[in-house]
């Protein structure tokens, strides 16, 4: 047991994820929770794979972009007939042998860390429900069985939710997933970030879960232009009077960024409705102003082909874009002699936030946009409809239905795009928009602020709460 100098026990918590200190939603949630847990008197250690900033302990095999882990995922969910030149497993026996070997390695390395640190709690993020790294699930199932650590599984994403990307192809892999992803083990407490996932978890393993939606630090100082970020636009050749749409998410297929491109394409046709008029934030466009789609986060390696499709679409439709991600980090820093801005700095200069995702576990970027007090263009993804829509937020809707174009990109139809462009213009020009975004801010602060975060963490840490 860990002790303070006064002799009272101090609980120690390990928070484990594939990555730490990145700008993806799970990493951002972990940073918030670590800070709150420390304020509550807990000692916190962060454990991750190699793609990290700020982890206390590294288990290299946790990184899901390692070639071995990528190969396991491909064979588990695509079978053994791959069209590229990568080495594939000849059969299920060979695949499962490697899964067990990787799982054993992760388990051994974690237990070595635990032997030194003696954790009281282990918070696992996405380990038991994601499809990218199924070997990690078995590793921590074994940890839960062999130790007396209180294990809390925070299930942000379920592999079944990814539009057919993670469909098991062979009988023994299906059995493996039923056993470990997630496991049926009563001592593991499960947490989901939305009501749909809570219901799915109960259907899968018969266990009730705590619903723990994303939260945000609403009491922090507003993000503003200052001496550090004042040169951000210049670095990316963006003019001060350009109209800036910020796509603050990672570039992956489910973010459906092509829908934002379609809205901007329609707005380009109507730019004269905005030229010379004062926008809600005091900006005025002129004839030289451009409508720019700014990308705030990195491209996942598996989505490089998707990014290329977006570039081709933007070029074909005359949409201007800038990739801010090479200069964006989870916090301001100098790295390799290069100035890095935080993601929050990008929000300062945005006029509109585009959030066209067709699937989200909850919606970190939604809360960020609300805190930044910006109008939002939103596709009403299932969790938004189930858990957010009725709270009274005002936003620009892309509807809740999409179809796929011949090139595989998503589309919502020309009528809906025009409606979204109309609504965007209204938000930009309406002097009441400031009041609207202030109201959005208050709603989110009440439901997803620090007080809510503390109550939810206390509930997760108390083994006697349901």
């Amino acid at each position: 047991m860990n002790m303070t100098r006064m002799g009272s026990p101090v609980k120690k918590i390990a928070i484990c994820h594939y990555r730490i200190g990145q700008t993806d939603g799970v990493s951002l949630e972990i940073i918030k929770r670590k800070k709150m847990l420390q304020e509550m008197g807990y000692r916190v250690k962060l454990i991750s794979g190699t793609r990290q900033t700020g982890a206390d302990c590294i288990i290299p095999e946790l990184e899901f972009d390692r070639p071995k882990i990528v190969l396991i995922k491909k064979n588990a969910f695509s079978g053994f007939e791959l069209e590229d030149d990568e080495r594939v497993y000849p059969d299920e026996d060979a695949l499962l042998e490697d899964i067990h070997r990787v799982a054993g390695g992760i388990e051994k390395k974690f237990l070595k860390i635990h032997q030194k640190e003696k954790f009281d709690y282990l918070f696992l993020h996405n380990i038991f429900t994601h499809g990218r790294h199924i070997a990690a699930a078995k590793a921590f199932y074994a940890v839960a069985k062999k130790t007396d650590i209180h294990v809390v599984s925070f299930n942000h994403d379920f592999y079944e939710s990814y539009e057919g990307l993670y469909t098991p192809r062979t009988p023994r892999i299906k059995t493996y997933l039923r056993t470990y992803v997630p496991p049926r083990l009563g001592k593991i407490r499960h947490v989901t970030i939305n009501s749909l996932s809570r219901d799915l978890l109960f259907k899968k393993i018969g266990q009730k879960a705590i619903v723990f939606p994303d939260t945000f630090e609403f009491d922090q100082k507003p993000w503003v232009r200052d001496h550090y970020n004042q040169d951000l636009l210049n670095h990316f050749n963006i003019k001060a009077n350009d109209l800036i749409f910020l796509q603050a998410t990672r570039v992956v297929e489910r973010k459906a960024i092509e829908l934002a491109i379609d809205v901007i394409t329609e707005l380009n046709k109507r730019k004269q409705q905005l030229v010379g008029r004062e926008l809600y934030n005091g900006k005025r466009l002129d004839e030289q102003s451009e409508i720019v789609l700014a990308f705030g986060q990195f491209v996942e390696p598996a989505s490089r082909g998707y990014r290329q499709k977006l570039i081709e679409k933007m070029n074909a439709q005359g949409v201007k874009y800038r990739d801010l991600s090479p200069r964006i980090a989870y916090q301001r820093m100098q790295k390799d002699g290069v100035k890095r801005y935080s993601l929050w700095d990008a929000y300062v200069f945005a006029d509109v936030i585009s959030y066209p995702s067709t699937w989200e576990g909850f919606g970190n970027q939604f809360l960020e946009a609300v805190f930044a007090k910006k109008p939002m263009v939103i596709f009403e993804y299932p969790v938004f409809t189930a858990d957010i829509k009725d709270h009274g937020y005002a936003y620009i809707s892309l509807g809740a239905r999409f179809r796929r174009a011949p090139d595989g990109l998503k589309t919502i139809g020309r009528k809906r795009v025009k409606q979204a462009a109309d609504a965007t213009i209204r938000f930009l020009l309406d002097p009441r928009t400031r009041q609207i975004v202030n109201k959005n801010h208050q709603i989110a602060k009440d439901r997803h602020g620090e007080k809510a975060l503390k109550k939810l963490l206390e509930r997760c840490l108390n083994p006697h709460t349901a």
Side-chain angles (χ1 to χ4, degrees):
M1 179 66 68
N2 302 297
M3 308 292 286
T4 68
R5 285 176 295 180
M6 299 299 294
S8 58
V10 173
K11 300 290 187 180
K12 184 178 284 189
I13 300 174
I15 301 180
C16 182
H17 183 43
Y18 310 118
R19 297 172 175 176
I20 294 290
Q22 304 296 297
T23 53
D24 62 281
V26 177
S27 292
L28 293 172
E29 282 299 309
I30 287 171
I31 296 303
K32 300 171 204 170
R33 295 174 189 189
K34 177 186 176 182
K35 180 181 177 183
M36 178 60 74
L37 288 165
Q38 289 175 328
E39 290 175 0
M40 293 165 63
Y42 293 91
R43 296 177 64 187
V44 181
K45 295 286 186 178
L46 303 181
I47 301 174
S48 82
T50 52
R51 190 168 178 175
Q52 57 79 36
T53 302
D56 299 289
C57 307
I58 296 173
I59 300 176
E61 293 84 355
L62 277 176
E63 170 52 51
F64 54 66
D65 275 334
R66 288 172 68 90
K68 173 73 70 176
I69 308 307
V70 171
L71 192 63
I72 287 173
K73 181 195 73 174
K74 285 185 175 181
N75 281 254
F77 295 104
S78 300
F80 304 101
E81 300 294 329
L82 299 181
E83 297 178 356
D84 53 33
D85 294 329
E86 292 179 314
R87 180 181 66 83
V88 298
Y89 297 98
D91 53 36
E92 279 190 303
D93 287 338
L95 172 59
L96 285 164
E97 183 179 343
D98 241 5
I99 290 173
H100 296 316
R101 184 182 298 114
V102 171
I106 294 172
E107 175 195 346
K108 182 178 180 180
K109 290 181 179 180
F110 175 82
L111 290 175
K112 185 176 182 180
I113 297 169
H114 175 53
Q115 185 177 16
K116 175 185 176 182
E117 299 290 345
K118 296 179 172 55
F119 297 114
D120 299 287
Y121 293 91
L122 172 59
F123 285 7
L124 299 173
H125 285 263
N126 262 354
I127 298 294
F128 284 137
T129 54
H130 209 292
R132 268 183 160 162
H133 196 336
I134 60 176
K138 182 177 187 292
F140 286 99
Y141 170 81
V143 167
K145 289 195 72 174
K146 292 180 179 180
T147 71
D148 59 357
I149 305 175
H150 296 287
V151 178
V152 184
S153 176
F154 290 87
N155 307 309
H156 301 259
D157 303 288
F158 285 69
Y159 71 85
E160 296 97 329
S161 302
Y162 282 86
E163 301 174 7
L165 293 177
Y166 297 105
T167 302
R169 306 293 183 184
T170 57
R172 292 178 66 192
I173 290 299
K174 291 178 182 178
T175 299
Y176 178 93
L177 293 172
R178 285 195 298 269
T179 304
Y180 300 111
V181 190
R184 292 170 172 81
L185 189 62
K187 67 176 295 187
I188 299 173
R189 300 197 75 195
H190 284 279
V191 178
T192 66
I193 61 174
N194 62 68
S195 62
L196 300 183
S197 294
R198 175 198 61 198
D199 297 344
L200 174 61
L201 183 82
F202 187 79
K203 182 178 180 180
K204 285 169 69 72
I205 64 172
Q207 282 185 234
K208 293 182 179 180
I210 297 170
V211 176
F212 192 140
D214 290 347
T215 60
F216 198 78
E217 188 181 350
F218 279 91
D219 288 332
Q220 67 181 286
K221 293 181 179 179
W223 304 329
V224 296
R225 180 169 178 158
D226 60 21
H227 71 282
Y228 190 92
N229 63 28
Q230 62 184 346
D231 56 355
L232 185 150
L233 295 183
N234 291 336
H235 276 303
F236 298 100
N237 193 27
I238 301 173
K239 300 185 295 295
N241 62 347
D242 284 341
L243 182 64
I244 303 169
F245 276 69
L246 176 64
Q247 179 69 38
T249 68
R250 290 170 296 143
V251 178
V252 293
E253 286 83 346
R254 67 185 174 89
K255 305 299 183 180
I257 300 167
E258 56 268 32
L259 303 183
I261 295 171
D262 287 337
V263 173
I264 294 173
T265 300
E266 185 65 28
L267 287 172
N268 275 329
K269 299 174 185 177
R270 310 188 199 179
K271 195 178 82 171
Q272 287 303 318
Q273 296 180 38
L274 299 171
V275 170
R277 300 182 66 181
E278 184 172 326
L279 306 188
Y280 75 96
N281 55 7
K283 180 180 287 190
R284 286 184 183 270
L285 274 60
D286 60 28
E287 295 292 344
Q288 284 70 50
S289 297
E290 297 178 316
I291 304 176
V292 177
L293 179 57
F295 293 85
Q297 287 206 44
F298 58 91
V299 182
E300 288 286 1
S303 297
R304 288 171 183 153
Y306 171 64
R307 178 181 183 271
Q308 185 58 37
K309 286 185 179 181
L310 294 179
I311 291 173
E312 292 170 0
K313 182 180 179 75
M314 289 185 287
N315 289 338
Q317 296 180 192
V319 171
K320 304 296 182 181
Y321 64 94
R322 302 287 190 276
D323 183 5
L324 313 186
S325 64
R327 289 285 193 105
I328 297 292
Y330 79 98
Q331 65 181 13
R332 294 173 173 182
M333 64 176 67
Q334 294 281 338
K335 187 174 183 181
D336 302 325
V338 176
K339 181 179 183 179
R340 306 295 174 96
Y341 305 93
S342 75
L343 184 59
W344 317 145
D345 288 319
Y347 276 97
V348 170
F349 296 94
D351 302 297
V352 181
I353 307 301
S354 62
Y355 196 45
S357 299
T358 52
W359 176 261
E360 292 287 343
F362 186 79
N364 258 294
Q365 278 75 35
F366 173 80
L367 294 179
E368 293 163 11
V370 170
F371 176 80
K373 298 183 178 180
K374 306 289 182 176
M376 297 172 284
V377 179
I378 296 175
F379 182 87
E380 297 178 15
Y381 53 93
V383 172
F384 183 90
T385 300
D387 291 358
I388 302 174
K389 184 175 181 177
D390 291 341
H391 294 168
Y393 296 102
Y395 57 93
I396 300 154
S397 177
L398 296 172
R401 296 175 180 270
F402 70 88
R403 58 182 177 83
R404 291 195 180 274
D407 60 2
L409 296 179
K410 295 165 185 172
T411 179
I412 55 174
R414 186 157 177 76
K415 181 179 178 181
R416 176 59 76 173
V417 169
K418 286 184 175 182
Q419 290 172 342
D422 288 340
T424 302
I425 291 172
R426 288 196 300 271
F427 266 81
L428 289 171
L429 297 177
D430 192 339
R432 295 171 298 178
T433 294
R434 283 190 176 276
Q435 298 174 2
I436 291 170
V437 295
N438 284 336
K439 181 180 178 182
N440 284 349
H441 184 280
Q442 188 60 51
I443 295 170
K445 181 178 180 179
D446 292 342
R447 290 182 171 272
H448 302 285
E450 289 87 339
K451 290 181 180 178
L453 172 59
K454 184 177 181 180
K455 287 181 180 179
L456 287 165
L457 286 172
E458 289 173 340
R459 189 177 175 195
C460 293
L461 290 162
N462 185 346
H464 304 296
T465 59

